[in-house]
C-alpha cells in the first residue's frame, strides 16, 4: 500500500508547516553548486503543494527564506530571489486552476521591489480562491515577528486604544503576521537537521514535529504522505491525560 492509501481522510491536519532544508548539501553530494540545489527544490514545492491540496490540507506554510538567510553570499541570495520570481510567474495559472490562494508572511519590505510586486500581483489574483492556502515565509523570523507584534501592542496601549489587561493570547496572535491562520498541526523539517531555526515559535507551541533525513530536492509527494501517516499515529494531548481524550 502506498502512503497515500494509508491516510485517514477524517484526520487530515488543517495546517502543515515545512522547513525546506538541505538544498545545498544535496547539490554538493552530486558535485554541483548550491544554486543547483535551490533550482531542484522548486519542483518539490510544486509537488508538495499539489499533494497537500489533494488530501484537503487547508494551510501549507513553506519556510522559503529566513531573516538570517540575508547573510548568505550575495550571489546565492540573488539566485533565490530570481527563482522566487520565476516560480510565481510560472505558477499563477496553476494556482488559479487548483483553487490555491497565495499568502506571504515575513518582512516583505526587505525583498527586492520586483519580487515584492510579483508577489503582490499573485496574492491579489489568487485572493478569492477557496482551496489550499499556500503561505510563503519570506524574510521571516519568529523573533522579528514577535518583536513587531510587541511594538504594535505597546503602541496601542500608549494611544489608549487598549489596556494592558486586554493583552491575551488571542490579541497577541492577532498582531502576528499569521493573523487568521490556525496554528500548525504538523511541522516537517527535511535534511536531518533537528532544530526550529527561528520559525513560527509562538505558533508551533503544540504542533507535532516530524524530521526526515531526505533533502528537500528529493522530498516529493510520497515522503509528504508518509509524514501525514506518521502524524495520524500520534495522540495530541494538549496537556491532558490520555484518558481525557475523546477517541
Ligand atoms: C534550504 O536549503 C533552502 C534555504 C534555506 C533557502 P539550504 O540552502 O539551507 O541547504 P543546506 O542546509 O545548506 O544543505
Ligand atoms: C532554515 O534553514 C530556513 C529555511 C529553510 C528557509 P537554514 O538552512 O537557513 O537553517 P540553519 O541555518 O541550518 O539553522
Ligand atoms: Mg540549510
Amino acid at each position: 500500500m502506498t502512503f497515500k492509501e494509508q491516510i485517514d481522510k477524517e484526520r487530515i491536519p488543517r495546517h502543515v508547516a515545512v522547513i525546506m532544508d538541505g538544498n545545498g548539501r544535496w547539490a554538493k553530494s552530486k558535485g554541483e553548486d548550491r544554486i543547483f540545489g535551490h533550482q531542484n527544490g522548486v519542483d518539490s514545492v510544486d509537488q508538495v503543494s499539489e499533494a497537500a491540496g489533494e488530501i484537503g490540507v487547508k494551510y501549507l506554510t513553506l519556510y522559503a527564506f529566513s531573516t538570517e538567510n540575508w547573510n548568505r553570499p550575495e550571489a546565492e541570495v540573488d539566485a533565490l530571489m530570481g527563482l522566487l520570481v520565476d516560480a510565481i510567474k510560472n505558477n499563477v495559472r496553476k494556482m488559479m486552476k487548483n483553487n490555491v490562494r497565495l499568502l506571504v508572511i515575513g518582512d516583505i519590505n526587505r525583498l527586492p521591489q520586483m519580487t515584492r510586486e510579483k508577489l503582490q500581483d499573485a496574492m491579489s489574483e489568487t485572493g478569492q480562491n477557496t482551496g489550499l492556502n499556500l503561505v510563503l515565509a519570506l524574510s521571516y523570523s519568529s523573533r522579528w515577528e514577535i518583536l513587531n507584534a510587541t511594538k504594535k501592542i505597546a503602541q496601542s496601549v500608549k494611544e489608549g486604544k487598549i489596556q494592558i489587561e486586554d493583552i491575551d493570547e488571542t490579541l497577541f496572535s492577532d498582531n502576528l503576521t499569521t493573523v487568521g491562520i490556525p496554528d500548525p498541526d504538523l511541522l516537517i523539517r527535511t535534511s536531518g537537521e533537528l532544530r526550529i531555526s527561528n520559525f513560527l515559535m509562538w505558533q508551533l507551541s503544540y504542533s507535532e514535529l516530524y524530521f526526515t533525513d531526505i533533502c528537500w530536492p528529493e522530498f516529493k509527494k510520497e515522503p509528504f504522505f508518509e509524514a501525514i501517516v506518521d502524524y495520524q499515529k500520534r495522540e495530541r494531548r494538549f496537556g491532558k491525560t490520555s484518558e481525557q481524550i475523546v477517541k
Side-chain angles (χ1 to χ4, degrees), residues 93-106:
R93 200 178 306 148
K94 194 167 151 199
M95 287 193 275
M96 293 309 290
K97 184 172 144 258
N98 293 340
N99 200 19
V100 174
R101 180 165 74 131
L102 181 71
L103 301 169
V104 175
I105 57 169

Side-chain angles (χ1 to χ4, degrees), residues 79 91 140 154-155 178:
N91 270 307
Y140 175 88
Q155 187 66 32
T178 48

Side-chain angles (χ1 to χ4, degrees), residues 19-21 63-66 69 72 189 195 197:
I19 302 177
M20 310 184 285
D21 200 10
Y63 203 6
F65 195 85
S66 72
N69 289 150
R72 291 195 178 190
R189 184 169 190 152
R195 54 179 173 266
S197 300

Side-chain angles (χ1 to χ4, degrees), residues 167-178:
I167 303 172
D168 59 8
E169 290 191 11
T170 307
L171 185 127
F172 200 85
S173 297
D174 288 348
N175 281 281
L176 297 170
T177 58
T178 48

Side-chain angles (χ1 to χ4, degrees), residues 177-228:
T177 58
T178 48
V179 51
I181 300 174
D183 288 342
D185 301 294
L186 170 66
L187 171 76
I188 298 172
R189 184 169 190 152
T190 60
S191 85
E193 302 294 2
L194 308 178
R195 54 179 173 266
I196 301 296
S197 300
N198 218 348
F199 189 43
L200 300 175
M201 291 190 298
W202 169 278
Q203 298 88 337
L204 291 171
S205 295
Y206 262 106
S207 307
E208 295 296 327
L209 308 179
Y210 179 87
F211 298 98
T212 169
D213 286 337
I214 302 173
C215 285
W216 181 251
E218 291 188 352
F219 194 84
K220 309 289 181 190
K221 288 189 180 185
E222 268 296 286
F224 177 77
F225 294 138
E226 183 176 7
I228 303 294

